[in-house]
Amino acid sequence: MRKALLVVLFSTFVFSSCTRSAEPYTETELRMDTVCSITVYDEDDRTLISGAFDIIDDVVKLIDIYDSSSEIYHLNENASKESVSVSPELFALIRRAYDMSVLTDGAFNIAIGPLVELWGIGNGGETVPSAEEIEKTLLLTDYNNIILDEENRSVLFLKEGMKIDLGALGKGYAADRIAEYFRENGVESAIINLGGNVYMLGSHPEGREWTVGLQSPDTERGGYFATVACSDSSVVTSGGYERYFETEDGNIYHHILSSKTGYPASSDIVSSSIISRDSTLADMLSTATFVLGSKKGEEIVNQFSLQAVFLLENGDVKRIGI
Ligand code: AMP
Ligand code: MG
């Protein structure tokens, strides 16, 4: 998986050279299975960045389905037996992910956990499950079988073995929380790069927009296939080249799955980048549009009045709202 990790590391470039007198301060650490790099431009208080990494740790404790001490792990273990009350923070995230599942007719699927676990891509999985296993597992991925009770903030699964997976919004949510924390602490200019899921806080220290380069999936060639200009916004990318395994016959199986087929999603989109001030939303939509393909993907991006860049299979770059 080392190769996949490196791809994630470089999946987005931010052109951040600056002539300003204050020295920017950067820290890079491995978190959420990826390389996270945070740069603050205009605040001397260096403890702010360690506060930001603490926020990532908090988010992991909330939604990491593999960490037996996380809140979601506890929920997934118990919600088939009885309805489980969760924290307001987790309930709000589950609500958003559930609503996105309904809106995209399951292209984004909050209940995809059992299928993610079966394939195990990025988590040691290197073989294709049998058709029978896939068929059986798909029966556990119907989000309509998740019952949310707003009043008690509780969650119930109608089938034994169901699991909620918030992996498709986790980095976006962590970026939103860090951006909020930085704003509260007076930071006006920062880059929060969580494995290519990038939040450009405020504007560039030189007072102009940031320029973000979208990494070409072709790792042999490197470089970027497009740039986008933005300020106080996140750019979130989903692509099938981020985490995958390759079989001996040369087939590639990546980590974004279709709960219609049970296999890695296949559309005309190779890489989908969404630009939004709301990074949680951008994260959900990057995954959803990758599954939906460019036609339906464009409709949904327009529905939210957002900007997006799709790299298509035929090499075309489709820009929406830009
Ligand atoms: P992302 O890289 O943001 O597109 O998210 C991919 C992650 O979300 C995977 O590693 C899974 O944990 C989860 N996932 C995979 N397929 C889906 C899907 N169709 N809907 C929601 N989450 C998914
Ligand atoms: Mg996503």
Side-chain angles (χ1 to χ4, degrees):
M1 288 317 298
R2 182 150 296 275
K3 186 174 170 197
L5 186 67
L6 286 175
V7 178
V8 173
L9 168 59
F10 294 114
S11 64
T12 314
F13 293 126
V14 183
F15 301 97
S16 57
S17 65
C18 99
T19 55
R20 202 169 167 272
S21 51
E23 276 302 301
Y25 177 57
T26 303
E27 264 182 41
T28 301
E29 290 187 24
L30 260 182
R31 288 291 201 301
M32 299 178 125
D33 283 338
T34 191
V35 179
C36 298
S37 177
I38 301 176
T39 303
V40 171
Y41 286 84
D42 62 336
E43 252 308 326
D44 288 337
D45 181 0
R46 296 190 168 199
T47 60
L48 280 174
I49 293 195
S50 55
F53 281 105
D54 290 346
I55 288 174
I56 300 178
D57 293 338
D58 287 350
V59 171
V60 167
K61 280 278 168 253
L62 198 68
I63 63 164
D64 185 347
I65 55 170
Y66 300 108
D67 180 343
S68 61
S69 65
S70 75
E71 196 180 353
I72 197 129
Y73 187 94
H74 176 259
L75 170 70
N76 282 337
E77 285 295 295
N78 295 291
S80 312
K81 297 172 215 141
E82 59 185 350
S83 108
V84 177
S85 287
V86 296
S87 62
E89 189 177 8
L90 184 58
F91 194 82
L93 274 182
I94 290 174
R95 176 85 258 170
R96 289 191 77 180
Y98 183 92
D99 291 348
M100 185 56 76
S101 306
V102 174
L103 185 77
T104 60
D105 192 25
F108 178 101
N109 187 347
I110 183 179
I112 203 140
L115 195 64
V116 170
E117 199 170 76
L118 178 69
W119 280 89
I121 298 170
N123 200 40
E126 299 271 316
T127 51
V128 180
S130 70
E132 294 75 41
E133 283 174 303
I134 288 178
E135 213 171 301
K136 221 171 82 192
T137 306
L138 280 179
L139 300 174
L140 302 174
T141 61
D142 184 350
Y143 56 87
N144 292 302
N145 288 331
I146 297 175
I147 308 300
L148 301 183
D149 178 342
E150 303 282 339
E151 213 164 295
N152 298 307
R153 286 198 320 267
S154 66
V155 182
L156 176 69
F157 300 155
L158 296 183
K159 281 199 174 168
E160 174 97 48
M162 290 183 70
K163 279 183 179 167
I164 286 177
D165 181 345
L166 300 176
L169 61 75
K171 285 187 259 165
Y173 179 64
D176 277 336
R177 281 216 29 208
I178 294 169
E180 189 188 344
Y181 160 77
F182 278 171
R183 285 189 188 105
E184 280 169 8
N185 285 281
V187 177
E188 288 181 0
S189 217
I191 300 172
I192 305 153
N193 186 345
L194 311 181
N197 190 322
V198 192
Y199 205 115
M200 271 71 55
L201 186 79
S203 55
H204 192 281
E206 288 172 358
R208 56 180 168 82
E209 289 191 304
W210 305 97
T211 306
V212 181
L214 307 178
Q215 166 78 37
S216 166
D218 183 350
T219 47
E220 302 298 313
R221 258 190 337 192
Y224 49 91
F225 67 88
T227 58
V228 289
C230 60
S231 53
D232 214 24
S233 213
S234 73
V235 179
V236 182
T237 301
S238 284
Y241 53 88
E242 290 180 321
R243 284 168 209 263
Y244 61 86
F245 70 83
E246 192 170 350
T247 51
E248 273 176 14
D249 50 9
N251 285 323
I252 286 180
Y253 296 88
H254 62 72
H255 73 307
I256 304 174
L257 305 172
S258 160
S259 51
K260 299 261 188 278
T261 66
Y263 288 82
S266 162
S267 74
D268 62 336
I269 295 182
V270 175
S271 153
S272 171
S273 300
I274 309 287
I275 299 130
S276 169
R277 194 169 194 264
D278 179 343
S279 194
T280 309
L281 176 63
D283 204 353
M284 289 195 286
L285 286 179
S286 67
T287 309
T289 50
F290 179 87
V291 176
L292 286 169
S294 62
K295 194 166 172 285
K296 285 193 179 152
E298 180 171 10
E299 283 169 20
I300 196 159
V301 168
N302 285 333
Q303 210 171 321
F304 284 92
S305 303
L306 293 179
Q307 297 178 321
V309 180
F310 299 155
L311 175 62
L312 304 184
E313 204 126 57
N314 63 8
D316 286 356
V317 176
K318 190 180 173 78
R319 289 172 177 267
I320 299 158
I322 305 175

